[in-house]
Amino acid sequence: MDLGLKNKVAIVTGASKGIGAACAEILAAEGAKVVLVARTIRHLDPLARRLSKRYRTEVAFVSADMGMRGSADHVAKKVLRTFGRIDILINSAGSSQGGVFWEVTDDTWDSAVQLKFLGAVRMVRAVLPTMRRQKYGRIVNVAGNTGRQPHPRLLPGSTANAALLSFTKGLSEEIMKDGVFINALQPGPTETEHWGTLMANLSRGTGLSPKAFEKEFMKEIPMRRVAAAIEMARPIIFMASDLASYMTGRSIIVDGGWTKDLA
């Protein structure tokens, strides 16, 4: 199926690994011009080279910390200088560590808000003038399913994700008249680079090892497994394509049946 993404200019934040890298892979395979955004050049450069060579499309990268003010504007300006337009934005930067509430530090809360929530808000604000001028744009925010179903040991991320879902819905009605649609993916447990650290933090004080805790945690997931990053990237790319042309201000939950909600 042709997703209609050939030559579209797509920005992916958090692109060096995990869900962001998987999104970049699909976009490049579909012929989009991809801009990878993350903090570490040593991860971005080899990924950009590999995708460009394999799929014979233009892949650029920008090193930027989305938790810092000014980074979003820097990224948008650089993309416009390089490609002249911005068609797609996928906000995938940010992962929040959890733990027992009274042990979670201010730094952990600040990181969740600054990177996961405000980083996405600033990035959307930076690309909107171009998208509105073009009368075309597709934005997808990655906001974990704990934004809808808060977990007592994942409260910083749960709070940031809930705010991002509210932002997505609220902004959608303001920008749809300009041909710009914004949606969100709510991923459940996903096998990314920080998964082991997350299990270690969540297992503290339970008397279980991280591996034993993970085994118990999986019992809450009807599918009894953690998702691969590519399983999250596929619905994200669907929402970023014109196949989702009658969808805005909505979210898709992809969590192996974990969320206790009506279908």
Side-chain angles (χ1 to χ4, degrees):
M1 181 181 291
D2 182 6
L3 298 179
L5 295 171
K6 188 173 180 59
N7 293 322
K8 292 284 175 66
V9 177
I11 299 172
V12 183
T13 71
S16 64
K17 53 191 176 181
I19 295 173
C23 288
E25 182 97 27
I26 298 176
L27 287 165
E30 292 291 325
K33 298 174 181 179
V34 187
V35 181
L36 312 173
V37 181
R39 285 175 283 194
T40 311
I41 291 178
R42 65 184 177 88
H43 292 145
L44 293 174
D45 187 31
L47 178 60
R49 291 174 183 272
R50 180 178 68 80
L51 294 180
S52 180
K53 181 178 181 180
R54 180 173 183 180
Y55 299 111
R56 300 192 179 280
T57 189
E58 293 182 75
V59 181
F61 64 86
V62 183
S63 175
D65 183 347
M66 302 317 299
M68 302 291 291
R69 292 188 182 188
S71 292
D73 290 332
H74 167 68
V75 170
K77 288 175 183 177
K78 190 164 184 178
V79 174
L80 286 175
R81 284 197 302 268
T82 303
F83 294 111
R85 61 183 293 118
I86 301 170
D87 300 299
I88 296 166
L89 168 65
I90 297 173
N91 278 314
S92 185
S95 59
S96 302
Q97 293 302 322
V100 180
F101 169 69
W102 44 86
E103 296 177 358
V104 176
T105 66
D106 281 358
D107 286 344
T108 300
W109 282 97
D110 285 344
S111 177
V113 173
Q114 289 295 330
L115 180 57
K116 187 66 180 179
F117 176 58
L118 288 178
V121 169
R122 293 174 186 135
M123 199 65 236
V124 171
R125 189 170 58 202
V127 304
L128 265 182
T130 299
M131 289 183 171
R132 293 179 67 203
R133 185 167 59 249
Q134 295 168 175
K135 296 296 181 182
Y136 181 92
R138 299 290 181 268
I139 301 168
V140 184
N141 295 320
V142 179
N145 74 326
T146 58
R148 183 185 299 269
Q149 179 175 276
H151 191 287
R153 295 205 170 191
L154 294 170
L155 289 178
S158 299
T159 303
N161 286 325
L164 193 50
L165 290 173
S166 179
F167 168 74
T168 299
K169 177 57 181 174
L171 182 62
S172 65
E173 297 183 23
E174 186 76 31
I175 61 178
M176 71 172 70
K177 63 181 180 295
D178 295 313
V180 183
F181 302 156
I182 182 170
N183 294 290
L185 180 88
Q186 293 184 251
T190 306
E191 189 70 62
T192 60
E193 286 76 1
H194 83 287
W195 177 255
T197 303
L198 179 62
M199 288 295 101
N201 287 342
L202 294 183
S203 66
R204 287 173 57 189
T206 65
L208 299 173
S209 69
K211 281 295 182 184
F213 182 88
E214 181 180 9
K215 187 175 181 179
E216 290 299 310
F217 186 82
M218 284 301 102
K219 293 178 181 179
E220 299 180 23
I221 312 298
M223 287 193 179
R224 297 294 191 271
R225 68 177 178 87
V226 179
I230 193 69
E231 293 178 287
M232 300 301 165
R234 291 170 185 144
I236 291 172
I237 301 306
F238 162 74
M239 287 187 282
S241 77
D242 288 340
L243 295 182
S245 58
Y246 197 55
M247 180 179 181
T248 193
R250 294 298 174 190
S251 64
I252 295 177
I253 301 173
V254 182
D255 66 353
W258 186 23
T259 301
K260 301 300 185 286
D261 199 358
L262 296 178

